[in-house]
Amino acid sequence: HGAMIFIDALPAVVAAVPDALVAFIGQGSEWQAMQERAELIAPGSTLFLPRMSPEDTATWIRGARGTLASVLPDGYDAFPTKMLASVGCGTPVVYAGPDPGRAFASDPHVGRAVSFDAADVADAMIAALQSAQTEAGRERLAGWARAQHSLESVMMRMRQLIASTLNRAG
């Protein structure tokens, strides 16, 4: 989905935050190319970790200043669900790409949405790295995510919508 954009942003990120470390968890068709490019343009600034359990992934997310998500702006209509996992863990998102992810990440509760441009991505990554995260802030974000996007909250809204529709019809 275009995660190479975060590698391309790394030289500017490391110039501003020399001890920056970006961890990529998972796999993908660009995995090897991302590793090679990262080592070439920003050596020592990345970790590439294998897929792991949801619990272990959540531990990494909770320990991060922000998470990264992207969708190539080529007309592919996708929503990176990892953004939901991130805010559910209380960690803001840096998103590069089009809607619907852009609208979600633009919400001030969620994080930052930027154009699919390495300079814009670098600016958002730097801001995330330089932001002060507090436990109270993480709890607020996780609470907002539960209230807005948990299965329970979605089902409550569905139930209200169905009841409202039946009342109007009836």
Side-chain angles (χ1 to χ4, degrees):
H1 296 290
M4 189 69 82
I5 193 76
F6 301 111
I7 301 296
D8 291 340
L10 281 175
V13 171
V14 173
V17 185
D19 62 343
L21 181 64
V22 179
F24 293 92
I25 301 171
Q27 60 187 24
S29 61
E30 290 188 312
W31 199 250
Q32 183 67 36
M34 288 171 59
Q35 289 175 321
E36 291 169 3
R37 183 151 175 79
E39 193 54 36
L40 180 67
I41 66 173
S45 64
T46 56
L47 289 175
F48 286 85
L49 305 167
R51 290 181 72 183
M52 53 183 75
S53 71
E55 296 82 12
D56 290 341
T57 302
T59 298
W60 277 91
I61 292 171
R62 273 188 224 99
R65 292 283 183 137
T67 60
L68 307 174
S70 60
V71 171
L72 289 167
D74 62 2
Y76 181 67
D77 191 22
F79 181 87
T81 56
K82 67 175 108 183
M83 292 194 297
L84 292 170
S86 182
V87 296
C89 289
T91 303
V93 174
V94 171
Y95 173 76
D99 279 331
R102 184 177 199 66
F104 179 79
S106 292
D107 187 301
H109 292 97
V110 174
R112 296 165 176 82
V114 296
S115 65
F116 202 86
D117 172 82
D120 290 345
V121 168
D123 289 344
M125 290 172 70
I126 291 164
L129 287 166
Q130 292 176 338
S131 68
Q133 301 267 335
T134 65
E135 191 56 35
R138 286 185 181 276
E139 286 300 319
R140 275 193 303 279
L141 180 54
W144 175 86
R146 277 189 304 279
Q148 297 299 313
H149 298 287
S150 69
L151 183 56
E152 181 180 356
S153 69
V154 171
M155 292 305 294
M156 288 294 290
R157 288 195 299 273
M158 290 294 295
R159 196 169 94 198
Q160 291 167 351
L161 178 63
I162 291 167
S164 172
T165 302
L166 290 174
N167 286 338
R168 277 184 279 158

